[in-house]
Amino acid sequence: MSPHENTGHPRRWAILGVLVISLLVVVLDNTILNVALRTLADPVHGLGASQGELEWSINSYTLVFAGLLFTFGVLGDRAGRRRFLLIGLVLFGLASLLSAYAQSPTQLIAARALMGVGGAAIMPVTLSIISNVFDPRERGRAIGVWAGAVGLAVAIGPILGGALLEHYWWGSVFLINVPVVALGVVLVALLVPESRDPDPGRVDVVGVLLSVVGLVALTYGIIDGGEHGFGRPLVWAAILGGVAVLAWFVAYERRTDHPSLDVRLFRVPRFAAPVAIVGLIFFAAMGVMFFSSFYLQLVRGFSPLETGLLFLPLAVAQLIFAPSSAAMVRRYGGRAVATVGLVLTVVALGAFAFVDATTPIWVVLVVFFLQGTGMANIMPPATESIMSALPREKAGVGSAVSNTVRQVAGALGVAVLGSVLSAVYRADVDPALRDLPAGAREAAGESISGAYAAAGQLGPAAPQLIAVADDAFLAAMHWAAGLAAAIAALGILVVLRWMPGRPATPAGAPAAVEEPELAGTA
């Protein structure tokens, strides 16, 4: 075969379009949910969910998703990636129906967990199929388009969610997934070829169970501590128990001959550095997304649809810059591009520490655009570096690790930064609530959503309560934003120390695997 011959599938760009549609349904769901949080907290128009229940409505999906990605990446490689994509889409659609008609926060959390199972079957195989149908010389560009699709979903989700919430009941934000799933199933069946790993590994049942138990325990402890305080033994038992189980998971993965996560991969800088960057950025960004929705809808008084439109610059920036990031990496090197992206992201996240109730809204729009620009120049080069560290037939492993770290970091970001937000808010607002009736005092002390709900029952005293709640929330938001920016800034140190610079291989040459002996241990 000529070295200049393209080894990609003849329909690879059409296949990429189908994979983008499949990806949209997974990302769309979480971005829609961010806009619906205030409505879900409303006891009349929603489910009356508490701050902790709102965090779990996000994290039940994310934790199941992350816990199963390892296994589903391997199973997709073994049983067929196209088959797994179809199964995941159907399951995701059915779980969306259950979420739409949930009658309580507990039912919604359970249905969202089932959606996580479907999402775990969808996400890793989309990247795996890209790695298999594209020539290595085109893979960076294809992954840039794939990452741009995330930006598209970020754009569509809040706007679509806001429009639905203004005209229909809250369940419509989940029901909208069903037609997208139906379209995806038809197109996948018609266009996507089947592919498998010719030498698959065995399923790591023990590793999967350990990872799920450890992640759920750790995140439960963080969320519960943020909601009810960190002074109770149960909270620390969950946190320390989760850390211990995850340490056991790592030790087990090092010993077993069929690991779901080959921890030796983290000795490869081209693999480990971008994984760390993805984790740090999504930890910070998802936490900020969580509280910025409350800021825009409650403190600033925007409707769900207006809030969705205000998130548009974040998505537009990703749509503009993500597809061209591969060319930037070829010209300047992954280290330089990722560093610039991280600096922009840190500045944007840190800016929320200075935003208040009177900040001109155009400033917030610029901040969102900066954040989108920064993330658009981090994710594609990081993802390409991770995927190029493994051969095509092991693409499921790289995809699973990349997406697992992203989802776990996002869940922990919502949990940790949400806990900081809750703790600071509660400490600041409690002294002003002593003269309120018991029910209003309890609701207003839990969250800003509770304060606004309680204010509706107080008559002339309502404006004073809202002013106090807004001030407490803004103070809490500033602390959470500062912490988010500091965590994202750690990514700059990781990039400068370990991220590869310009490719050493000639332009157009396939990337070599740095430690080929790792490839067969998936």
Side-chain angles (χ1 to χ4, degrees), residues 85-95 122 181 185:
L85 184 53
L86 288 169
I87 291 172
L89 285 168
V90 171
L91 186 57
F92 196 93
L94 292 174
I122 295 169
V181 164
V185 167

Side-chain angles (χ1 to χ4, degrees), residues 457-495:
Q457 312 297 321
L458 293 181
Q464 182 179 357
L465 173 59
I466 288 175
V468 169
D470 282 352
D471 289 343
F473 178 83
L474 287 169
M477 184 179 82
H478 293 162
W479 277 99
L483 179 58
I487 289 167
L490 293 176
I492 299 174
L493 302 180
V494 173
V495 167

Side-chain angles (χ1 to χ4, degrees), residues 189-229:
L190 291 175
L191 293 174
V192 177
E194 187 61 280
S195 62
R196 293 179 175 85
D197 182 354
D199 184 25
R202 287 186 289 144
V203 178
D204 177 22
V205 177
V206 175
V208 171
L209 292 176
L210 290 175
S211 66
V212 172
V213 170
L215 289 168
V216 170
L218 175 62
T219 307
Y220 172 81
I222 293 170
I223 293 175
D224 195 60
E227 186 175 9
H228 302 295

